[in-house]
Amino acid sequence: EPEVTQTPSHQVTQMGQEVILRCVPISNHLYFYWYRQILGQKVEFLVSFYNNEISEKSEIFDDQFSVERPDGSNFTLKIRSTKLEDSAMYFCASVGGNYEQYFGPGTRLTVT
Amino acid sequence: AQSVTQPDIHITVSEGASLELRCNYSYGATPYLFWYVQSPGQGLQLLLKYFSGDTLVQGIKGFEAEFKRSQSSFNLRKPSVHWSDAAEYFCAVRALAGGTSYGKLTFGQGTILTVHP
């Protein structure tokens, strides 16, 4: 069964550093999403992406965040200058014709 | 804006007992509703979904959920819980986006299920 993959599984970075989280969505999907889950809290929507542009973003998704699909398979989330409060699990998801969102296993980002 | 409430933060049941996890949603139109399960350190796995039609939906691992429009609820049930069901369960609602069905998911805060042997 096709699945969404994410790398790395765990990223440790220092405050102020840039990080790029990578996702490979399911190959025939066209809609892509990033969510995050701070430890002990609910899963929160960050951004959705379709047709090579952002279709919706939350108030969390400020100028420090960016997304792109640099090629036909990868979908990346960049945090330009990480803050302590960016520490969270970041999930990528993609949607196909059955409207189901398939989630990747997540990247745990730890900012020190 | 849509919202989801899961009133129970933590539920403990004995193995073999029945289970019901509550979910209430707020959304102005007919919602698309989902239940996901998350094991520790793992991603989110879709258990079941409701889009339209029969209000009782069956999912994987023996779970079912019933959509009740009058109560704005979408409770998850399982007749006999197994130890492997211990996990965190999230209810989610999806709004339409630009007239499509590809909008973001809004999640509840989750219910942690503990299963006693």
Side-chain angles (χ1 to χ4, degrees), chain B residues 21-80:
Chain B
L21 302 182
R22 295 183 290 166
C23 171
N24 293 98
Y25 67 90
S26 173
Y27 181 57
T30 300
Y32 288 7
L33 295 159
F34 305 82
W35 275 99
Y36 285 85
V37 61
Q38 184 183 34
S39 297
Q42 303 297 310
L44 296 159
Q45 182 182 23
L46 180 66
L47 284 176
L48 47 76
K49 63 184 185 292
Y50 171 80
F51 289 171
S52 64
D54 193 346
T55 55
L56 184 63
V57 294
Q58 303 295 321
I60 62 171
K61 305 185 181 189
F63 285 92
E64 66 178 27
E66 186 171 13
F67 170 61
K68 292 186 178 180
R69 184 188 301 275
S70 61
Q71 298 177 18
S72 298
S73 68
F74 188 57
N75 294 347
L76 182 72
R77 300 194 294 249
K78 186 169 185 178
S80 178

Side-chain angles (χ1 to χ4, degrees), chain A residues 31 33 35 37 40-45 48 56 89 91 95-106 108, chain B residues 4 32 34 36 38 41-44 46 49 51 88 90 94 97 100-110:
Chain A
Y31 288 81
Y33 309 78
Y35 294 82
Q37 184 183 30
Q41 298 185 23
K42 67 169 75 175
V43 178
E44 303 172 286
F45 168 77
S48 57
E56 187 178 3
M89 182 76 93
F91 292 106
V95 173
N98 63 0
Y99 309 124
E100 292 179 15
Q101 284 198 18
Y102 292 84
F103 283 79
R108 178 165 298 285
Chain B
V4 178
Y32 288 7
F34 305 82
Y36 285 85
Q38 184 183 34
Q42 303 297 310
L44 296 159
L46 180 66
K49 63 184 185 292
F51 289 171
E88 189 161 17
F90 292 93
R94 178 161 76 220
T100 76
S101 301
Y102 296 100
K104 65 184 180 189
L105 291 179
T106 298
F107 286 84
Q109 58 267 53

